[in-house]
Amino acid sequence: MTNELLRLTVLGCATPYPSVDNPCSGYLVSSEDTHVWVDAGTGTLGPLQRHVQLDELDAIWISHLHADHSADLLTAYYGALYADVRLTAPIPLYGPPGIADRLAAFLTNTPVRSPIESAFAVIELHDGHEAAVGPLKLTSRAVAHGIPAFALKVEAAGRTLVYSGDTAPCTGLTSLADGCDVLLCEAESAQAPVEGDQVHHTPEDAGDTASAARAGRLIVTHVGRFLTPEEAVARASTRFGGPVEYAVPGSTFEIGQAADARGAR
Protein backbone atom coordinates (compact mmCIF):
# COMPACT_ATOMS: atom_id res chain seq x y z
CA MET A 1 0.00 0.00 0.00
CA THR A 2 2.74 2.48 0.91
CA ASN A 3 4.33 2.21 -2.54
CA GLU A 4 1.06 3.38 -4.15
CA LEU A 5 0.89 6.62 -2.20
CA LEU A 6 1.76 10.02 -3.54
CA ARG A 7 4.86 11.06 -1.57
CA LEU A 8 6.44 14.46 -1.02
CA THR A 9 10.00 14.60 0.33
CA VAL A 10 11.38 17.99 1.35
CA LEU A 11 14.98 18.36 0.18
CA GLY A 12 15.17 21.97 1.35
CA CYS A 13 13.08 25.12 1.58
CA ALA A 14 15.41 27.98 2.61
CA THR A 15 15.31 31.41 0.99
CA PRO A 16 17.10 33.22 -0.53
CA TYR A 17 20.24 31.23 0.33
CA PRO A 18 20.79 27.90 2.08
CA SER A 19 21.37 27.67 5.81
CA VAL A 20 23.68 25.18 7.49
CA ASP A 21 21.01 22.49 7.71
CA ASN A 22 18.50 23.64 5.09
CA PRO A 23 19.16 23.84 1.33
CA CYS A 24 17.08 26.14 -0.84
CA SER A 25 13.81 25.07 -2.45
CA GLY A 26 13.67 21.51 -3.71
CA TYR A 27 11.30 18.56 -3.37
CA LEU A 28 11.08 14.98 -4.54
CA VAL A 29 7.58 13.91 -5.59
CA SER A 30 7.11 10.18 -6.05
CA SER A 31 4.49 7.55 -6.70
CA GLU A 32 5.30 3.87 -7.14
CA ASP A 33 8.75 3.91 -8.78
CA THR A 34 8.32 7.28 -10.51
CA HIS A 35 10.32 10.26 -9.21
CA VAL A 36 10.19 13.94 -10.14
CA TRP A 37 12.64 16.52 -8.77
CA VAL A 38 10.51 19.63 -8.22
CA ASP A 39 12.67 22.77 -8.08
CA ALA A 40 16.43 22.43 -7.93
CA GLY A 41 17.43 25.17 -5.52
CA THR A 42 20.94 25.66 -4.21
CA GLY A 43 22.13 22.63 -2.27
CA THR A 44 19.26 20.26 -3.06
CA LEU A 45 21.20 17.89 -5.32
CA GLY A 46 23.00 16.50 -2.26
CA PRO A 47 19.95 15.37 -0.26
CA LEU A 48 18.23 14.24 -3.46
CA GLN A 49 20.81 11.46 -3.67
CA ARG A 50 19.65 10.04 -0.34
CA HIS A 51 16.56 8.93 -2.26
CA VAL A 52 17.39 8.68 -5.98
CA GLN A 53 20.34 9.19 -8.29
CA LEU A 54 20.17 11.48 -11.31
CA ASP A 55 19.77 8.53 -13.67
CA GLU A 56 16.79 7.32 -11.63
CA LEU A 57 14.81 10.52 -12.11
CA ASP A 58 11.86 10.42 -14.47
CA ALA A 59 11.65 14.21 -14.80
CA ILE A 60 12.68 17.56 -13.33
CA TRP A 61 10.16 20.40 -12.98
CA ILE A 62 11.27 24.00 -12.30
CA SER A 63 8.84 26.69 -11.15
CA HIS A 64 10.95 29.73 -12.13
CA LEU A 65 14.52 30.74 -12.78
CA HIS A 66 15.55 32.44 -9.55
CA ALA A 67 18.70 30.75 -8.26
CA ASP A 68 17.14 29.49 -5.03
CA HIS A 69 14.84 27.33 -7.17
CA SER A 70 17.07 26.35 -10.08
CA ALA A 71 20.82 26.75 -9.40
CA ASP A 72 21.53 23.06 -8.78
CA LEU A 73 20.63 22.32 -12.40
CA LEU A 74 24.15 23.57 -13.12
CA THR A 75 25.86 20.93 -11.00
CA ALA A 76 23.32 18.32 -12.11
CA TYR A 77 24.43 19.01 -15.69
CA TYR A 78 28.03 18.18 -14.82
CA GLY A 79 26.94 15.11 -12.90
CA ALA A 80 24.80 13.87 -15.76
CA LEU A 81 27.48 14.23 -18.44
CA TYR A 82 30.94 14.20 -16.88
CA ALA A 83 30.92 11.97 -13.81
CA ASP A 84 29.77 8.51 -12.77
CA VAL A 85 26.15 8.93 -13.93
CA ARG A 86 25.23 7.05 -17.10
CA LEU A 87 22.03 8.38 -18.64
CA THR A 88 20.19 6.20 -21.12
CA ALA A 89 18.48 9.36 -22.39
CA PRO A 90 18.41 13.05 -21.42
CA ILE A 91 16.29 13.76 -18.33
CA PRO A 92 12.99 15.47 -19.21
CA LEU A 93 13.22 19.01 -17.84
CA TYR A 94 10.03 21.07 -17.57
CA GLY A 95 10.71 24.74 -16.96
CA PRO A 96 9.90 28.33 -17.86
CA PRO A 97 10.54 29.64 -21.37
CA GLY A 98 14.22 30.29 -22.00
CA ILE A 99 15.52 27.82 -19.42
CA ALA A 100 17.85 26.01 -21.84
CA ASP A 101 19.51 29.22 -23.04
CA ARG A 102 19.83 30.45 -19.45
CA LEU A 103 21.68 27.28 -18.47
CA ALA A 104 23.84 27.37 -21.59
CA ALA A 105 24.80 31.00 -21.00
CA PHE A 106 26.22 30.09 -17.60
CA LEU A 107 27.81 26.77 -18.54
CA THR A 108 29.40 27.64 -21.89
CA ASN A 109 33.12 28.38 -21.52
CA THR A 110 34.20 28.34 -25.18
CA PRO A 111 32.67 29.63 -28.43
CA VAL A 112 30.84 26.28 -28.64
CA ARG A 113 27.50 26.20 -26.78
CA SER A 114 27.44 23.68 -23.93
CA PRO A 115 25.40 20.60 -24.87
CA ILE A 116 22.54 21.28 -22.47
CA GLU A 117 20.23 19.05 -24.47
CA SER A 118 22.54 16.07 -23.96
CA ALA A 119 21.72 16.19 -20.24
CA PHE A 120 18.18 17.57 -20.32
CA ALA A 121 15.29 17.12 -22.73
CA VAL A 122 13.82 20.60 -22.29
CA ILE A 123 10.06 21.17 -22.42
CA GLU A 124 9.01 24.78 -21.90
CA LEU A 125 6.01 25.38 -19.67
CA HIS A 126 3.00 27.52 -20.46
CA ASP A 127 -0.19 28.30 -18.57
CA GLY A 128 -2.26 25.11 -18.51
CA HIS A 129 0.61 22.84 -19.59
CA GLU A 130 -0.08 19.15 -18.89
CA ALA A 131 2.26 16.18 -18.91
CA ALA A 132 2.16 12.53 -17.90
CA VAL A 133 5.21 11.14 -16.09
CA GLY A 134 4.56 7.50 -15.26
CA PRO A 135 1.46 7.45 -13.02
CA LEU A 136 1.85 11.18 -12.28
CA LYS A 137 -0.19 13.82 -14.07
CA LEU A 138 1.50 17.24 -13.94
CA THR A 139 -0.46 20.43 -14.57
CA SER A 140 1.23 23.84 -14.53
CA ARG A 141 -0.41 27.24 -14.09
CA ALA A 142 1.13 30.67 -14.47
CA VAL A 143 1.33 32.60 -11.19
CA ALA A 144 2.22 36.14 -10.05
CA HIS A 145 5.92 36.46 -9.21
CA GLY A 146 7.08 39.32 -11.40
CA ILE A 147 8.88 36.94 -13.80
CA PRO A 148 7.59 33.87 -15.68
CA ALA A 149 6.64 31.50 -12.86
CA PHE A 150 4.41 28.49 -12.43
CA ALA A 151 2.57 26.49 -9.80
CA LEU A 152 2.26 22.72 -10.11
CA LYS A 153 -0.53 20.23 -9.53
CA VAL A 154 0.49 16.58 -9.23
CA GLU A 155 -2.20 13.90 -9.41
CA ALA A 156 -1.64 10.22 -8.70
CA ALA A 157 -3.36 7.34 -6.95
CA GLY A 158 -6.54 9.42 -6.66
CA ARG A 159 -4.72 12.10 -4.66
CA THR A 160 -3.65 15.65 -5.45
CA LEU A 161 -0.68 17.74 -4.33
CA VAL A 162 -0.40 21.39 -5.36
CA TYR A 163 2.86 23.36 -5.04
CA SER A 164 2.69 27.14 -5.23
CA GLY A 165 6.22 27.82 -6.40
CA ASP A 166 6.90 31.47 -5.58
CA THR A 167 3.91 33.74 -6.04
CA ALA A 168 1.69 36.38 -4.60
CA PRO A 169 -1.89 35.25 -3.93
CA CYS A 170 -3.54 34.87 -7.33
CA THR A 171 -6.48 33.18 -9.02
CA GLY A 172 -4.15 30.92 -11.01
CA LEU A 173 -2.93 29.22 -7.83
CA THR A 174 -6.32 29.14 -6.11
CA SER A 175 -8.05 27.59 -9.10
CA LEU A 176 -5.27 25.04 -9.60
CA ALA A 177 -5.47 24.04 -5.93
CA ASP A 178 -9.25 23.75 -5.81
CA GLY A 179 -10.16 20.69 -3.74
CA CYS A 180 -6.57 19.42 -3.46
CA ASP A 181 -5.56 17.03 -0.71
CA VAL A 182 -2.40 18.96 0.14
CA LEU A 183 -1.33 22.51 -0.67
CA LEU A 184 2.41 23.11 -0.34
CA CYS A 185 2.45 26.89 -0.19
CA GLU A 186 5.23 29.39 0.25
CA ALA A 187 5.07 31.87 3.14
CA GLU A 188 8.13 33.96 2.46
CA SER A 189 6.97 37.40 3.53
CA ALA A 190 6.61 38.57 7.12
CA GLN A 191 4.23 41.21 5.79
CA ALA A 192 2.88 42.35 2.44
CA PRO A 193 4.82 45.22 0.82
CA VAL A 194 3.59 48.74 1.45
CA GLU A 195 4.77 49.81 -2.00
CA GLY A 196 5.30 47.88 -5.20
CA ASP A 197 3.82 44.64 -6.41
CA GLN A 198 3.45 41.71 -4.06
CA VAL A 199 5.37 38.65 -5.26
CA HIS A 200 5.14 36.30 -2.24
CA HIS A 201 2.59 35.01 0.27
CA THR A 202 2.55 36.00 3.91
CA PRO A 203 1.56 33.16 6.27
CA GLU A 204 -1.93 34.66 6.46
CA ASP A 205 -2.08 34.68 2.67
CA ALA A 206 -1.11 31.01 2.63
CA GLY A 207 -3.97 30.26 5.01
CA ASP A 208 -6.38 32.30 2.90
CA THR A 209 -5.31 30.52 -0.29
CA ALA A 210 -5.73 27.11 1.33
CA SER A 211 -9.15 28.10 2.64
CA ALA A 212 -10.32 29.54 -0.69
CA ALA A 213 -9.10 26.42 -2.48
CA ARG A 214 -10.80 24.09 0.01
CA ALA A 215 -7.51 22.26 0.50
CA GLY A 216 -7.49 19.29 2.81
CA ARG A 217 -4.17 20.18 4.38
CA LEU A 218 -1.67 23.06 4.24
CA ILE A 219 2.10 22.69 4.39
CA VAL A 220 3.88 26.03 4.62
CA THR A 221 7.31 26.24 3.00
CA HIS A 222 9.92 28.74 1.80
CA VAL A 223 9.54 30.65 5.06
CA GLY A 224 11.53 33.89 4.94
CA ARG A 225 14.44 34.92 7.13
CA PHE A 226 12.30 37.28 9.22
CA LEU A 227 9.91 34.53 10.32
CA THR A 228 10.30 31.28 12.21
CA PRO A 229 8.53 28.15 11.01
CA GLU A 230 6.50 28.15 14.21
CA GLU A 231 5.34 31.71 13.58
CA ALA A 232 4.44 30.88 10.00
CA VAL A 233 2.36 27.87 11.02
CA ALA A 234 0.61 29.78 13.81
CA ARG A 235 -0.21 32.74 11.58
CA ALA A 236 -1.44 30.57 8.70
CA SER A 237 -3.64 28.66 11.14
CA THR A 238 -5.58 31.83 11.94
CA ARG A 239 -6.92 31.80 8.36
CA PHE A 240 -7.25 28.08 7.63
CA GLY A 241 -9.21 25.62 9.73
CA GLY A 242 -7.56 22.44 8.47
CA PRO A 243 -4.23 20.90 9.49
CA VAL A 244 -1.23 23.20 9.02
CA GLU A 245 2.34 21.90 9.07
CA TYR A 246 5.82 23.09 8.17
CA ALA A 247 7.92 21.56 5.39
CA VAL A 248 10.70 20.33 7.66
CA PRO A 249 13.83 19.63 5.58
CA GLY A 250 14.32 15.90 5.23
CA SER A 251 10.73 15.02 6.03
CA THR A 252 8.44 12.91 3.84
CA PHE A 253 4.70 13.49 3.63
CA GLU A 254 2.58 10.59 2.44
CA ILE A 255 -0.61 11.64 0.66
CA GLY A 256 -3.10 8.81 0.56
CA GLN A 257 -5.80 7.03 2.52
CA ALA A 258 -3.35 5.07 4.63
CA ALA A 259 -1.46 8.19 5.65
CA ASP A 260 -4.02 10.98 5.94
CA ALA A 261 -3.96 10.95 9.72
CA ARG A 262 -0.24 10.31 10.01
CA GLY A 263 1.35 13.30 8.24
CA ALA A 264 5.09 13.58 7.89
CA ARG A 265 7.66 11.10 9.04
Side-chain angles (χ1 to χ4, degrees), residues 24-246:
C24 288
S25 291
Y27 311 89
L28 181 65
V29 177
S30 305
S31 183
E32 301 178 7
D33 295 322
T34 298
H35 307 286
V36 179
W37 186 9
V38 174
D39 275 351
T42 314
T44 57
L45 179 55
L48 175 74
Q49 294 170 83
R50 293 193 181 105
H51 308 278
V52 294
Q53 302 303 308
L54 284 171
D55 56 3
E56 296 174 316
L57 287 171
D58 296 279
I60 303 170
W61 185 95
I62 301 296
S63 63
H64 64 290
L65 294 179
H66 283 152
D68 60 337
H69 293 256
S70 63
D72 265 22
L73 289 176
L74 303 175
T75 46
Y77 164 83
Y78 285 113
L81 294 187
Y82 303 118
D84 54 344
V85 176
R86 295 293 179 264
L87 297 180
T88 58
I91 305 167
L93 170 60
Y94 299 92
I99 187 170
D101 287 342
R102 178 73 69 87
L103 292 172
F106 189 94
L107 291 165
T108 298
N109 296 303
T110 72
V112 178
R113 183 181 186 274
S114 289
I116 301 302
E117 289 77 10
S118 295
F120 306 119
V122 178
I123 304 99
E124 292 191 344
L125 298 174
H126 58 77
D127 189 32
H129 183 277
E130 295 184 354
V133 180
L136 304 176
K137 179 182 177 183
L138 310 182
T139 304
S140 302
R141 287 295 307 271
V143 291
H145 192 49
I147 63 171
F150 297 88
L152 174 66
K153 177 167 68 174
V154 183
E155 298 171 88
R159 295 287 160 161
T160 305
L161 164 71
V162 171
Y163 168 50
S164 65
D166 277 8
T167 179
C170 63
T171 56
L173 174 59
T174 303
S175 62
L176 184 70
D178 186 48
C180 67
D181 293 291
V182 172
L183 173 61
L184 176 66
C185 189
E186 64 118 299
E188 193 275 345
S189 297
Q191 59 186 18
V194 176
E195 297 180 356
D197 294 334
Q198 185 173 355
V199 295
H200 287 287
H201 279 64
T202 65
E204 289 83 0
D205 290 331
D208 286 341
T209 295
S211 182
R214 303 178 296 115
R217 185 162 142 212
L218 172 63
I219 302 172
V220 293
T221 191
H222 203 257
V223 173
R225 295 277 171 165
F226 299 101
L227 288 165
T228 67
E230 294 78 14
E231 288 170 340
V233 168
R235 288 171 55 175
S237 297
T238 66
R239 304 291 185 89
F240 177 62
V244 181
E245 300 162 83
Y246 170 62

